[in-house]
């Protein structure tokens, strides 16, 4: 399974400038791309990976089994305080992993037919799926989800169409078909991208409470990191990037440390040409003070 970590060279350069021997937390392990690079570049460092997806944990443990200084824990990064352990470097890639996108049964992709699931922790039977959200939410609530988390211009129109659908929407193809039937062809052509992309993004963020997890993580950081540490976030959505930006500014104003990236770093044209996923990435970094 192919996986190319986004803005890897920039992340490695920031870590190298901060330290060459460290305890590094890969807070969004996924397929282990960042962790593999950290272990290669910084062989004397210890790397711990976190992920809420047990499939990702299993895959990365097998991939990195020859590195005794690597370990992985199945948990949400919003629960990081429960580890009761401080690190020198924290790295968080807030995007969805290739494993989740490429497996149709996970329901993340509008390009593959599968059940409309979208749970990153698919073993949590108590968590609602994307299909559950569509079925149990009224049109007003759905429109707010599509607008807030997907920045979907036609949120109200699509939400009404979802609720007026004569057949249950249980698969990715069902939802794509509703959106395609609802939006006029001239509008779809002007979008410049798949007409379902923003709705799928919104549902994924909502189902997994991604913004909430991020806010819980950031609010806990003063307790998590009592020593000098480098904190790196790679965000793909304006909402998440805005949360990180405002929190970093607040920390700097409170004297907790210094923003390393005055403006967000973005991928090179070469990288975006090579890796389409990188096109909307923004990297921000902060260095905390010692207590």
């Amino acid at each position: 399974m192919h996986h190319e970590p986004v803005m890897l060279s920039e992340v490695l350069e920031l870590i190298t400038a901060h330290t060459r021997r460290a305890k590094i937390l890969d807070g969004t392990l996924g397929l282990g791309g960042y962790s593999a690079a950290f272990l290669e570049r910084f062989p004397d460092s210890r790397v711990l990976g976190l992920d809420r997806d047990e499939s990702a944990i299993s895959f990365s443990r097998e991939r990195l089994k020859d590195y005794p200084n690597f370990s992985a824990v199945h948990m949400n990064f919003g629960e990081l305080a429960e580890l009761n352990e401080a690190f020198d470097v924290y790295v968080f890639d807030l995007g969805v992993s290739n494993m989740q996108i490429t497996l149709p049964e996970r329901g993340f992709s509008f390009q593959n037919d599968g059940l409309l699931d979208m749970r990153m922790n698919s073993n949590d039977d108590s968590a609602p799926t994307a299909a559950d959200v569509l079925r149990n939410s009224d049109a007003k609530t759905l429109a707010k989800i599509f607008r807030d988390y997907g920045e979907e211009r036609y949120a109200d129109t699509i939400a009404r169409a979802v609720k007026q659908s004569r057949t249950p929407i249980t698969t990715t193809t069902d939802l794509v078909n509703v959106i395609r039937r609802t939006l006029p062809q001239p509008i779809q052509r002007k979008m410049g991208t798949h007409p379902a992309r923003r709705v799928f993004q919104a549902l994924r963020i909502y189902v997994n409470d991604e913004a909430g997890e991020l806010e819980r993580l950031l609010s806990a950081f003063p307790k998590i990191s009592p020593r000098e540490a480098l904190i790196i976030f790679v965000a793909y959505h304006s909402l998440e990037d805005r949360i990180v930006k405002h929190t970093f500014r607040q920390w700097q104003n409170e004297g907790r440390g210094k923003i390393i990236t005055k403006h967000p770093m973005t991928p090179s044209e070469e990288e975006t040409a090579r890796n389409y996923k990188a096109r909307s990435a923004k990297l921000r970094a902060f260095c905390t003070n010692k207590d």
Side-chain angles (χ1 to χ4, degrees), residues 27 31 48 64 106 113 116 129 169 178 182 184 188 207 254 263 271 278 284 291:
L31 298 179
L48 174 65
L64 303 173
R106 300 299 299 272
D113 184 45
L116 201 55
T129 66
I169 300 174
V178 167
T182 301
Q188 293 187 43
V207 165
E254 293 171 350
H263 301 288
E271 179 173 4
R284 295 183 188 271
D291 278 0

Side-chain angles (χ1 to χ4, degrees), residues 10-255:
E10 290 85 352
V11 170
L12 291 174
E13 287 175 10
L14 285 167
I15 297 175
T16 301
H18 179 75
T19 182
R20 293 178 183 271
R21 181 173 182 172
K23 289 172 62 178
I24 303 175
L25 181 89
D26 183 351
T28 46
L29 179 59
L31 298 179
Y34 279 118
S35 286
F38 300 157
L39 292 162
E40 287 291 329
R41 176 70 73 88
F42 313 108
D44 295 327
S45 295
R46 178 198 162 201
V47 178
L48 174 65
L50 305 182
D51 207 290
R52 67 169 79 182
D53 189 335
E54 286 187 296
S55 299
I57 294 292
S58 299
F59 182 94
S60 293
R61 280 176 175 162
E62 177 63 24
R63 175 183 181 181
L64 303 173
K65 63 183 178 181
D66 294 331
Y67 293 93
N69 48 338
F70 171 78
S71 57
V73 176
H74 177 229
M75 68 183 300
N76 297 349
F77 61 60
E79 303 167 339
L80 183 56
E82 296 179 12
L83 281 180
N84 196 29
E85 183 176 2
F87 294 81
D88 302 295
V89 178
Y90 299 82
V91 180
F92 303 92
D93 180 327
L94 301 179
V96 63
S97 86
N98 280 15
M99 175 183 287
Q100 292 160 343
I101 291 176
T102 56
L103 294 176
E105 63 268 25
R106 300 299 299 272
F108 284 92
S109 175
F110 46 75
Q111 295 177 325
N112 298 309
D113 184 45
L115 292 177
L116 201 55
D117 191 324
M118 294 197 190
R119 292 171 299 166
M120 290 184 177
N121 183 2
S122 56
N123 294 321
D124 184 2
D125 293 333
S126 65
T129 66
D132 294 331
V133 172
L134 295 181
R135 182 178 62 254
N136 298 326
S137 304
D138 58 27
K140 183 177 180 180
T141 300
L142 288 179
K144 181 173 174 55
I145 291 171
F146 300 159
R147 190 164 41 247
D148 290 355
Y149 300 125
E151 299 177 317
E152 174 53 66
R153 181 178 180 182
Y154 303 99
D156 293 292
T157 301
I158 295 171
R160 284 194 299 269
V162 166
K163 299 310 296 183
Q164 292 169 4
S165 175
R166 295 181 179 179
T167 57
I169 300 174
T170 59
T171 70
T172 55
T173 300
D174 291 338
L175 180 55
V176 168
N177 288 341
V178 167
I179 295 170
R180 285 198 179 279
R181 288 196 303 266
T182 301
L183 298 179
Q185 284 299 318
I187 288 177
Q188 293 187 43
R189 286 193 292 269
K190 287 181 180 179
M191 283 181 164
T193 185
H194 196 288
R197 184 179 69 84
R198 292 180 180 274
V199 170
F200 270 66
Q201 172 185 277
L203 282 171
R204 188 203 83 218
I205 292 173
Y206 181 81
V207 165
N208 296 287
D209 191 23
E210 294 178 36
E213 285 293 317
L214 177 59
E215 289 175 336
R216 283 188 285 277
L217 168 67
L218 291 168
S219 65
F221 247 115
K223 300 176 184 177
I224 293 171
S225 181
R227 65 190 188 196
E228 182 179 344
L230 176 67
I231 304 170
I232 299 172
F233 281 93
V234 179
Y236 303 84
H237 186 276
S238 60
L239 171 63
E240 293 172 330
D241 179 62
R242 194 158 53 244
I243 291 171
V244 173
K245 177 179 70 173
H246 290 166
T247 301
F248 281 3
R249 285 181 178 174
Q250 179 183 341
W251 287 353
Q252 182 165 271
N253 292 338
E254 293 171 350

